[in-house]
Amino acid sequence: PVSNHIDSILSGEINTNIISTGKKNFLLIGEGGLPPDIGFEIINLNDFNPEKVPSSFDSLAARVIPYKVEILDNSTYKYPDGLSINEEISEIGNWTTETAVLGTFMNAGNFQGYGEKYLAIRAQAENGYKYGWLKLYCSKHNDTLKIIDFAINNTINNKIKAGQIN
């Protein structure tokens, strides 16, 4: 990613796509090495279902894998929150490290077909958390997942708004 320091917020353009099935990982906050901070993938659900997904359903699902960050998920089905611009990201809400679904069949998920939405993230720091966001686009049929850009507030325990870069 191309990054710029503006006050305490680190931001950058990612601008990458996953088309059809595949996985991409990103190191946004860490100091190099593995594992990455976060990953995204599109999977074919038929590979995991011996009965096959009914042909009337989309068989692809877009997922987020939080390796070293937490994601905001206030659902009961592992569908992380799809935030709109300027929504506040802070300690409030249910934060998880579990793999979650951005979009799947039957229009489930908070990103699928909704245009550009923001995924709230937070990373453990020495005395608290660094809060941030990733801007994503997930197509209606989950065959394209675009990771557009991100920002992290480097000031410990300070909130950030979705889309905020300074």
Side-chain angles (χ1 to χ4, degrees):
V2 176
S3 300
N4 300 302
H5 285 279
I6 303 173
D7 295 329
S8 62
I9 297 178
L10 170 70
S11 65
E13 180 180 357
I14 298 175
N15 201 24
T16 190
N17 289 316
I18 304 172
I19 307 286
S20 192
T21 57
K23 180 191 276 188
K24 292 199 180 201
N25 295 325
F26 299 94
L27 185 64
L28 303 173
I29 302 166
E31 297 296 326
L34 295 173
D37 295 316
I38 195 164
F40 296 92
E41 67 182 346
I42 296 176
I43 61 170
N44 186 337
L45 297 171
N46 286 322
D47 295 343
F48 302 93
N49 185 351
E51 302 298 318
K52 302 295 181 201
V53 174
S55 61
S56 61
F57 292 175
D58 287 324
S59 63
L60 299 177
R63 304 192 310 177
V64 57
I65 308 156
Y67 297 112
K68 294 192 301 192
V69 297
E70 296 177 20
I71 56 175
L72 185 62
D73 180 0
N74 288 303
S75 76
T76 55
Y77 299 104
K78 296 184 185 172
Y79 298 145
D81 297 15
L83 303 179
S84 297
I85 195 160
N86 291 324
E87 285 192 62
E88 191 171 275
I89 301 166
S90 67
E91 74 282 352
I92 297 170
N94 182 39
W95 291 92
T96 182
T97 58
E98 294 185 41
T99 296
V101 175
L102 302 169
T104 189
F105 63 85
M106 302 282 295
N107 297 320
N110 294 313
F111 288 82
Q112 175 185 358
Y114 290 110
E116 294 176 351
K117 300 297 273 182
Y118 295 87
L119 175 69
I121 62 170
R122 74 177 185 181
Q124 182 75 50
E126 189 173 315
N127 294 315
Y129 292 96
K130 294 180 180 181
Y131 292 92
W133 53 262
L134 285 112
K135 187 177 185 181
L136 308 174
Y137 166 82
C138 182
S139 67
K140 182 178 180 181
H141 299 289
N142 305 307
D143 56 354
T144 301
L145 178 61
K146 185 173 186 176
I147 301 96
I148 302 165
D149 56 6
F150 76 101
I152 305 293
N153 189 337
N154 276 321
T155 304
I156 307 300
N157 296 326
N158 274 15
K159 59 191 170 191
I160 189 171
K161 291 183 178 181
Q164 180 182 352
I165 57 171
N166 55 26

